[in-house]
Amino acid sequence: MGMSQQAGHCKKPVSPMNTRAALEVVRNIAWTIVLLTSTAVTGASGINRVFANLGDSAVMTCPNVTKLTMVTWKISPKTGGWCSLAHLKGHRKERTNCSDRINWRSRPEWDQALEIRQVGMADEGNYTCEVVNFDGNFHHHYHLTVLVSPRMALYCDDHGNPVCEAETVKPAAEIWWVPESNSTPRADSHDNGTVTVVSRFTAHSTSGENPTCIVSHATLNETKSIACFPSHRHLIRHTAIFVGFLIIVTFVAAIYYSKLHGYRKKRNP
């Protein structure tokens, strides 16, 4: 009887299969929470891309929140040191390492946007606006890319072929010809970071139409036409070769005629 009572009080052993299943459920739930958290963080801290032409102005805005106590712009360019602008409640402003070109667009107590005047290549980089109020901290991230318009040149080479060039920093320009050319553009990179795209027009027939070079770029769409003829230097070289050939032929003919005439005199004294 005692033994049966003790047996009645014993706990039923847990099956290893049930334990493994429970751990698997817990693991799946934890992994789902991690994924959701990661997605939320990534979406909240996504980077907005801003493009500005070299020499123009660029404006970046902050999150629109109410009753802010502080707003800060943190700037980390690709080259050079970081800088920051801060505005605290009570109209107190702080400025650290920023040039005069980088400033508030207006009065930060009602407009927290940042403005960069005369954008340069050194301004490329990451910009973060942090706004603080009683509900917490809010961030807005930007990445600024500076675009440089290509320098275009169209000329005739020594053989009378049209050549089109487009030099820029980035991105590289694209070149087309009208009418269509058989050549393939060549891109040459330089130590100063620029890329020159060169295309030489080659076509079997232009139907009397002057070749037109079309340069396409994010900051430029330009077309130029040119009519090329053999250059004077090219003509002079060919003329000199032809005249030289005539002189040689004339000299050889004179020698041959002289020998032939002397031979006839010997046979007919």
Side-chain angles (χ1 to χ4, degrees):
M1 186 71 179
M3 291 293 294
S4 61
Q5 289 179 351
Q6 289 181 358
H9 290 291
C10 289
K11 293 183 179 180
K12 185 178 180 180
V14 179
S15 170
M17 292 295 293
N18 293 337
T19 303
R20 204 162 26 244
L23 290 175
E24 188 67 25
V25 171
V26 172
R27 188 183 298 112
N28 290 338
I29 293 174
W31 181 241
T32 302
I33 293 173
V34 170
L35 287 177
L36 291 174
T37 304
S38 175
T39 302
V41 171
T42 303
S45 60
I47 296 179
N48 300 279
R49 297 196 173 274
V50 178
F51 299 90
N53 293 331
L54 184 69
D56 289 351
S57 295
V59 175
M60 287 165 274
T61 60
C62 285
N64 186 17
V65 299
T66 58
K67 298 180 181 180
L68 61 87
T69 57
M70 185 176 70
V71 56
T72 305
W73 276 100
K74 300 176 181 178
I75 303 167
S76 178
K78 285 184 178 180
T79 58
W82 65 274
C83 82
S84 66
L85 296 175
H87 172 71
L88 289 80
K89 188 176 181 180
H91 310 289
R92 178 186 168 192
K93 299 177 183 178
E94 293 183 358
R95 185 185 191 89
T96 307
N97 299 330
C98 289
S99 71
D100 294 336
R101 296 183 301 103
I102 302 176
N103 211 336
W104 305 100
R105 181 172 62 176
S106 182
R107 298 182 62 176
E109 51 266 25
W110 66 65
D111 183 6
Q112 295 81 45
L114 181 75
E115 181 179 18
I116 306 172
R117 292 178 286 105
Q118 297 179 351
V119 171
M121 295 303 302
D123 296 320
E124 280 198 337
N126 297 318
Y127 292 73
T128 299
C129 177
E130 180 180 2
V131 176
V132 180
N133 67 2
F134 292 107
D135 295 326
N137 294 20
F138 303 89
H139 298 82
H140 216 53
H141 303 281
Y142 294 93
H143 180 82
L144 175 64
T145 299
V146 180
L147 301 175
V148 182
S149 298
R151 292 195 297 268
M152 180 181 178
L154 183 62
Y155 58 90
C156 303
D157 64 12
D158 292 340
H159 300 283
N161 297 315
V163 179
C164 190
E165 292 186 2
E167 181 183 358
T168 185
V169 177
K170 62 180 180 180
E174 296 181 351
I175 295 178
W176 290 278
W177 289 97
V178 176
E180 187 177 355
S181 173
N182 299 326
S183 65
T184 301
R186 184 186 77 249
D188 298 325
S189 299
H190 309 291
D191 294 336
N192 61 358
T194 60
V195 179
T196 301
V197 180
V198 182
S199 179
R200 181 172 279 99
F201 179 82
T202 56
H204 297 299
S205 175
T206 61
S207 302
E209 182 182 0
N210 292 335
T212 298
C213 174
I214 302 174
V215 174
S216 178
H217 186 258
T219 61
L220 176 74
N221 277 303
E222 188 172 351
T223 61
K224 286 185 178 181
S225 299
I226 191 170
C228 291
F229 304 96
S231 64
H232 294 296
R233 185 169 53 185
H234 191 61
L235 289 174
I236 292 172
R237 184 170 63 249
H238 279 270
T239 302
I241 293 173
F242 181 71
V243 171
F245 177 75
L246 286 179
I247 293 174
I248 294 173
V249 170
T250 302
F251 182 72
V252 171
I255 293 176
Y256 178 77
Y257 176 78
S258 176
K259 288 184 176 181
L260 181 61
H261 187 67
Y263 176 73
R264 286 180 178 177
K265 281 186 176 182
K266 286 182 180 179
R267 292 194 60 182
N268 301 306

